């Protein structure tokens, strides 16, 4: 199997820790010394070793990605000249794999997800491979544990063949709470985790059917990848590629045509989107205080002093002492140039601060 890791995005809801040039996947947000990117590559290692692992990232992050992934061959780090969303990134990797093995199985995974049970994750991916070998475009879904309005959903149909593979009838947008509650109670809806497994020829055929212009551009880039003309072809062709997610470009239409299957997973998956989520999933002390990078029951750490506090998420990054007394439910992020203090339940709104900084012309803080 070939594993394709998508290392893009800026993670603005985790600002000021995550920045444009130091996005969240480069940070150790998994409760271990490894970055989210490194943890992702380690997680897929039983399925695809370093030589079969491709990382798609932007030019601004390529050097940092290479430093963090010393075992991954340099030529396996695919550098996008500009962000064109997930379909172009995934399509480029698929086209390059297809040059050598058109029927190869490919899995596409985000670099910024947190998974607490990697062994179960590997088992579920292998179940998805069985569906992919039959020609289905497989997506790995998550059994919902609550009416979550921040995730998309998959409306599932009948089971197909042996094993847990189910057909996907429809992709659903992020719902309002009451609709999300209905989805969870129905038992026929799963969270869309944005993880995919397929034969590259099956995916490229569906891309050509639904997005012929995008497909043609990617084939042109792939044909020049090992040629002296690569940079020229990239500079001319890449900016013309449709900027669209793979869900909209391929998967929704493929589901309507009866070509998408799914396997439900329960392996401790979290989309690390904001500080509230980090506080929920990382180990904290006996009063629920989470110090990023720390273990449980360790309220005092180098650089952190907490007294009579509850439910804090503290991210000390500046080298200064961060002290808190008699407060609860806060996020405190201390970086060399920015200090953020916000209520945990409003962590999703941090992105609005980044938008305001950009509007004021203060992009240097972003």
């Amino acid at each position: 199997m070939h594993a394709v890791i998508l290392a893009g995005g800026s993670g603005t809801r985790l600002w000021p820790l995550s920045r444009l040039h130091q996005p969240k996947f480069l940070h150790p947000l998994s409760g271990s010394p490894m970055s989210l990117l490194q943890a992702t590559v380690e997680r897929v290692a039983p399925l695809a070793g370093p030589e079969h692992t491709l990382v798609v990232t932007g030019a601004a992050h390529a050097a940092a990605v290479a430093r963090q992934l010393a075992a991954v061959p340099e030529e396996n780090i695919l550098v996008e000249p500009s962000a064109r969303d997930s379909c172009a990134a995934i399509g480029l990797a698929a086209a390059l794999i297809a040059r050598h093995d058109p029927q190869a199985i490919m899995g596409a995974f985000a670099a910024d997800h947190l998974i607490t049970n990697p062994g179960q994750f590997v088992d579920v991916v292998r179940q998805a491979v069985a569906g992919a070998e039959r020609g289905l475009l497989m997506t790995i879904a998550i059994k919902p544990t609550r009416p979550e309005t921040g995730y998309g959903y998959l409306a599932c149909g009948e089971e197909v063949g042996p094993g847990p593979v189910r057909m996907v009838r429809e992709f659903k947008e992020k719902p309002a709470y009451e609709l999300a509650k209905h989805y969870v109670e129905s038992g026929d809806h799963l969270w869309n985790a944005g993880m995919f497994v397929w034969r590259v020829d099956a995916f490229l055929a569906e891309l050509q059917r639904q997005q012929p212009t995008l497909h043609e551009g990617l084939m042109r880039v792939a044909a020049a990848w090992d040629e002296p003309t690569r940079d020229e072809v990239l500079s001319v062709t890449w900016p013309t590629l449709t900027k669209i997610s793979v869900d909209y470009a391929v998967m929704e239409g493929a589901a309507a045509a009866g070509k998408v299957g799914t396997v439900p997973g329960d392996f401790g998956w979290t989309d690390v989107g904001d500080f509230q989520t980090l506080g929920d999933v990382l180990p904290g002390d006996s009063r629920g205080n989470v110090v990023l990078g720390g273990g449980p029951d360790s309220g005092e750490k180098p650089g952190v002093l907490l007294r009579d506090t509850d439910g804090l998420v503290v991210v000390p990054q500046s080298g200064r002492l961060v002290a808190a007394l008699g407060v609860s439910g806060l996020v405190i992020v201390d970086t060399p140039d920015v200090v953020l203090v916000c209520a945990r339940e409003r962590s999703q709104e941090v992105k609005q601060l980044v938008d305001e900084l950009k509007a004021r012309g203060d992009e240097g803080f972003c």
Side-chain angles (χ1 to χ4, degrees), residues 73-127:
E74 184 179 353
E75 62 270 19
N76 286 16
I77 298 174
L78 313 181
V79 181
E80 301 176 291
S82 60
R84 306 305 296 167
D85 217 320
S86 62
C87 194
I90 289 173
L92 173 61
L96 293 176
I97 293 168
R99 295 182 309 163
H100 305 292
D101 185 359
Q103 292 194 318
I105 298 292
M106 163 186 158
F109 310 99
D112 56 3
H113 290 175
L114 179 61
I115 289 173
T116 58
N117 190 336
Q120 181 64 21
F121 164 80
V122 168
D123 291 343
V124 171
V125 174
R126 286 180 173 145
Q127 292 167 354

Side-chain angles (χ1 to χ4, degrees), residues 27 32 67 80 89 124 133 179 255 262 329 331 338:
H27 291 277
S32 81
R67 283 194 300 271
E80 301 176 291
V124 171
E133 288 172 339
L179 186 55
T262 190
V331 172
V338 177

Side-chain angles (χ1 to χ4, degrees), residues 33 37-38 41 64 93 104 107 110-111 137 140 170 185 194 197 205 211 226 251 260 262-263 278 290 342 348 362:
L37 171 64
Q38 291 169 322
V41 172
L137 304 185
I140 296 171
E170 191 177 359
E185 292 171 349
V197 180
Q211 305 286 336
D226 292 327
M251 299 302 285
V260 176
T262 190
V263 176
L278 281 176
V290 174
C342 77
Q348 289 262 344
D362 288 332

Side-chain angles (χ1 to χ4, degrees), residues 232-256:
E232 180 184 352
V233 173
L234 262 178
S235 64
V236 172
T237 304
W238 195 261
T240 70
L241 300 180
T242 306
K243 191 172 185 178
I244 187 172
S245 76
V246 73
D247 293 70
Y248 289 134
V250 174
M251 299 302 285
E252 290 186 357

